[in-house]
């Protein structure tokens, strides 16, 4: 040991979000004799470590956990709703922090709301927990061709604890999906029809919701593994490479200010879509595709009220006293290539727009509609890393080059028309027109270390998530996804992490 760190481990994992945790879980299940060290730049803000902050019952404790996740400048003003995000200027949501002012756009439209979290569990401590399966062109063709993709996604469901029944007691959910289906289901394959949103959420016997974070992905299998150790408040500053082979990581102890080298047989970097390529650049690992093919999901949002329900009886078990719980029901309008949007339809506990004082709200009747749009991929949409300037962690400063194409703008306009169709199908639109959130608001940054079937210069990693350029270096996260997706990407990125972890197990068992 050097200080609180080991001198050597079998596998070093940078990042404690859902994908880094998936690596640790699969390694603990399939090869428990391997020593594993996981490094996280942020503090532990919840218990069990990595658990979702929504599971913190006390409001003040939850707010404190969110503030401690907000990087090197916690406590700055944040915004907590889509409408506030759209109207309130350039502010992050609770638990996240923005790229420094000016760094979000070096050219084009930029990503003004590009944000990150620094805490054990990463963004998995703050996410919406939506886990839709990719469809049509969102799917990864070369993994589909081998028959692997669905089995891997099934494993991701298992690790994340995905369910579809957590909100079965929500009032009017079935009616809402019936009305949405009447508007869009004709001609769709069964998997692409309106349905309940798969969520990494379960309901306890006492009725409380439990939202999955990295704690669920790690599971008891990892927590009880004596060969696994999580080191928080530890910044990885460099991947150590010797003659084209990853041999460990250099880490900076943010508690003491000391720097250490931890040697490893395998290195996994799962530091998010912005900081994973940043760490590779800082390590001198700079393949052509690094930071390129950046893509995010433009969001169009609106609200409506379910009408014609005043005389409907509330089924037994669906009576609600007072307001509904947060996210009281989530329905899903899947992506198709003809309508390249992913729809996340949420029954809200309050109206996002003011209603008349004498206008009573039936529980479950206020609906927030959101459509996420797939982006046209381009190598010109990229991250640029400085050789001179540094960020608050001392790593190369990030600049964003990102522009919507004419095709992207057409898709957004189509989404606006489609969301009005959905709102009218639901009942009464609650505003004059939908609005588009500022770019970067989805927090779904993908493609910056994308996967490829062959090493043709357009990808950073191969089908097992190992980098083409450095042997024994694996990457994880939404940044590995090579397709343009509209659906929430976490399920897919965890599935890819399962495949990478299995490759490590096979690889180290052969040595």
């Amino acid at each position: 040991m050097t200080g609180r760190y080991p001198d050597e481990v079998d596998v070093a994992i940078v990042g404690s979000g859902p994908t880094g945790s998936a690596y640790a879980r699969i390694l603990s299940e399939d090869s428990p004799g391997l020593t594993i060290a996981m490094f996280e730049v942020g503090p532990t803000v919840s218990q069990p470590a990595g658990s979702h902050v929504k599971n913190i019952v006390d409001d003040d404790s939850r707010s404190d956990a969110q503030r401690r996740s907000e990087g090197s400048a916690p406590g700055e003003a944040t915004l907590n709703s889509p409408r506030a995000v759209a109207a309130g200027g350039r502010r992050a949501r609770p638990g996240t922090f923005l790229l420094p002012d000016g760094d979000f756009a070096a050219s084009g439209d930029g990503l003004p709301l590009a944000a990150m979290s620094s805490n054990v569990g990463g963004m998995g401590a703050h996410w919406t927990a939506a886990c839709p399966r990719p469809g049509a062109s969102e799917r990864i063709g070369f993994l589909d061709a081998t028959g692997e993709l669905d089995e891997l996604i099934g494993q991701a469901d298992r690790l994340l604890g995905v369910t579809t029944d957590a909100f079965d007691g929500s009032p009017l959910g079935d009616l809402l999906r019936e009305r949405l289906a009447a508007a869009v289901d004709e001609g769709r394959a069964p998997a692409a029809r309106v349905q309940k949103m798969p969520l990494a959420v379960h309901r306890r016997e006492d009725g409380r919701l439990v939202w999955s974070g990295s704690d669920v992905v790690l599971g008891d299998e990892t927590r009880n593994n004596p060969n696994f150790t999580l080191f928080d408040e530890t910044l990885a500053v460099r991947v150590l490479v010797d003659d084209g082979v990853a041999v460990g990581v250099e880490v900076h102890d943010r508690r003491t200010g000391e720097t250490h080298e931890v040697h490893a047989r395998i290195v996994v970097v799962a530091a998010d879509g912005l900081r994973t390529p940043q760490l590779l650049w800082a390590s001198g690992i700079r393949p052509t595709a690094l930071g390129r093919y950046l893509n995010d999901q433009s969001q169009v949002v609106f609200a409506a009220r379910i009408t014609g329900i005043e005389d409907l009886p509330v089924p037994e078990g669906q009576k609600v006293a007072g307001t509904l719980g947060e996210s009281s029901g989530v329905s899903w309008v899947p992506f198709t290539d003809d309508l390249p949007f992913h729809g996340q339809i949420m029954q809200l506990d309050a109206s996002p727009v003011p209603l008349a004082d004498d206008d009573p709200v039936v529980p479950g009747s206020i609906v927030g509609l959101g459509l996420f749009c797939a982006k046209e991929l381009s190598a010109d949409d990229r991250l640029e890393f400085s050789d001179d300037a540094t960020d608050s962690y001392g790593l190369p400063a990030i600049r964003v080059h990102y522009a919507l194409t004419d095709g992207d703008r057409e898709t957004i306009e189509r989404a606006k028309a489609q969301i009005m169709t959905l709102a009218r199908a639901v009942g009464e639109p609650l505003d004059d027109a939908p609005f588009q959130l500022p770019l970067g608001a989805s927090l779904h940054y993908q493609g910056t270390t994308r996967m490829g079937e062959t090493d043709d210069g357009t990808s950073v990693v191969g089908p097992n998530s190992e980098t083409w350029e450095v042997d024994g270096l694996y990457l994880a996260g939404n940044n590995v996804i090579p397709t343009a997706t509209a659906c929430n990407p976490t399920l897919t990125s965890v599935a890819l992490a399962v495949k990478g972890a299995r490759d490590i197990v096979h690889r180290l068992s052969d040595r």
Side-chain angles (χ1 to χ4, degrees):
M1 298 286 291
T2 305
R4 65 181 175 123
Y5 303 111
D7 294 322
E8 186 173 357
V9 293
D10 290 308
V11 182
I13 302 173
V14 178
S16 64
T19 57
S21 296
Y23 270 86
R25 172 72 171 273
I26 296 299
L27 293 172
S28 295
E29 288 181 341
D30 294 353
S31 195
L34 296 176
T35 52
I36 307 165
M38 175 179 282
F39 304 103
E40 169 56 53
V41 67
T44 300
V45 301
S46 55
Q47 292 295 335
S51 56
H52 203 298
V53 300
K54 283 185 181 180
N55 300 331
I56 301 174
V57 176
D58 179 71
D59 291 342
D60 290 339
S61 297
R62 187 185 319 112
S63 295
D64 179 65
Q66 290 171 327
R67 283 193 298 272
R68 294 176 64 212
S69 302
E70 293 168 3
S72 58
E76 293 186 3
T78 57
L79 297 171
N80 211 1
S81 72
R83 178 167 288 273
V85 169
R90 189 172 174 262
R91 291 185 182 176
R93 279 171 281 181
T96 72
F97 61 99
L98 299 172
L99 282 175
D101 189 28
D103 287 1
F104 63 84
S107 64
D109 302 290
L111 292 174
L113 291 193
M116 302 161 279
S117 294
S118 287
N119 54 273
V120 172
M123 200 70 77
H126 311 282
W127 67 318
T128 65
C131 291
R133 293 192 169 210
S137 60
E138 295 179 306
R139 294 173 66 86
I140 302 168
F142 55 84
L143 296 184
D144 250 350
T146 63
E148 294 178 275
L149 187 57
D150 284 328
E151 189 273 332
L152 293 170
I153 288 174
Q155 287 296 311
D157 280 335
R158 174 180 74 90
L159 296 186
L160 287 162
V162 175
T163 70
T164 57
D165 60 2
F167 292 102
D168 278 358
S170 296
L172 308 175
D174 290 339
L175 176 62
L176 171 62
R177 284 184 286 276
E178 179 182 315
R179 292 186 178 182
L180 292 170
V184 302
D185 273 3
E186 185 176 355
R188 288 184 172 222
R193 293 173 187 164
V194 173
Q195 56 197 275
K196 300 173 185 176
M197 176 70 77
L199 295 165
V201 182
H202 70 274
R203 192 175 292 276
R204 300 191 327 188
E205 289 186 3
D206 64 4
R208 272 194 57 208
L209 290 173
V210 180
W211 300 76
S212 295
S214 289
D215 64 317
V216 171
V217 180
L218 289 169
D220 289 337
E221 293 84 351
T222 310
R223 280 188 292 272
N224 295 335
N225 179 0
N227 292 317
F228 168 79
T229 310
L230 168 62
F231 299 94
D232 65 359
E233 298 185 72
T234 302
L235 173 67
V237 296
R238 184 166 59 100
V239 176
L240 303 176
V241 179
D242 183 11
D243 197 23
V245 178
V247 295
V249 290
E250 181 180 327
V251 297
H252 175 77
D253 189 338
R254 289 177 57 78
R255 298 178 185 175
T256 67
E258 297 175 331
T259 298
H260 305 272
E261 288 189 358
V262 179
H263 293 273
R265 299 163 68 189
I266 297 290
V267 175
V268 179
V269 180
D272 76 36
L274 304 179
R275 289 179 285 187
T276 291
Q278 179 192 44
L279 180 58
L280 265 62
W281 182 272
S283 306
I285 305 167
R286 303 177 179 183
T288 301
L290 185 72
R292 293 186 176 271
Y293 301 97
L294 169 66
N295 65 102
D296 184 40
Q297 299 162 352
S298 297
Q299 284 181 266
V300 175
V301 296
F302 199 50
R305 174 158 54 177
I306 302 173
T307 55
I309 56 175
E310 292 75 11
D311 298 327
L312 289 180
V314 178
E316 188 64 31
Q318 293 190 344
K319 296 179 180 179
V320 177
T323 61
L324 301 175
E326 185 179 4
S327 306
S328 61
V330 188
S331 299
W332 176 28
V333 182
F335 169 95
T336 68
D337 287 340
D338 290 335
L339 290 174
F341 341 107
H342 151 77
Q344 191 163 306
I345 316 299
M346 305 177 73
Q347 291 172 265
L348 306 176
D349 60 357
S351 175
V353 298
L355 300 175
D357 291 339
D358 60 350
D359 193 0
V361 174
V362 176
S365 66
I366 301 298
V367 178
L369 302 102
L371 292 182
F372 294 70
C373 304
K375 175 82 169 69
E376 290 188 336
L377 300 184
S378 169
D380 291 333
D381 293 321
R382 69 192 191 278
L383 304 175
E384 175 189 355
F385 304 103
S386 175
D387 285 323
D388 303 312
T390 59
D391 65 10
S392 59
Y393 290 109
L395 290 172
I398 300 172
R399 302 293 301 277
V400 175
H401 300 261
Y402 192 83
L404 297 178
T405 66
D406 290 343
D408 294 331
R409 297 184 193 281
E410 179 184 353
T411 297
I412 291 167
E413 291 306 309
R414 291 180 63 197
K416 290 178 179 178
Q418 179 70 2
I419 210 167
M420 290 300 298
T421 297
L422 296 177
R424 294 187 185 105
V426 166
E428 175 192 5
L430 290 181
D431 212 338
D432 294 330
F435 54 93
Q436 179 188 352
L437 297 185
L439 298 179
S442 83
L443 308 178
H444 295 165
Y445 320 122
Q446 300 167 74
T448 52
T449 63
R450 68 200 300 255
M451 177 181 287
E453 187 174 16
T454 60
D455 183 11
D456 61 0
T458 66
S459 60
V460 176
V461 302
N464 289 321
S465 296
E466 184 180 16
T467 61
W468 298 116
E469 188 164 301
V470 177
D471 186 54
L473 174 60
Y474 291 72
L475 307 182
N478 299 337
N479 37 285
V480 173
I481 298 172
T483 54
T485 73
C487 73
N488 310 63
T490 303
L491 185 72
T492 301
S493 60
V494 170
L496 298 179
V498 170
K499 182 172 170 60
R502 287 174 173 174
D503 190 62
I504 293 173
V505 170
H506 177 73
R507 177 185 188 134
L508 294 186
S509 67
D510 286 346
R511 291 185 180 180

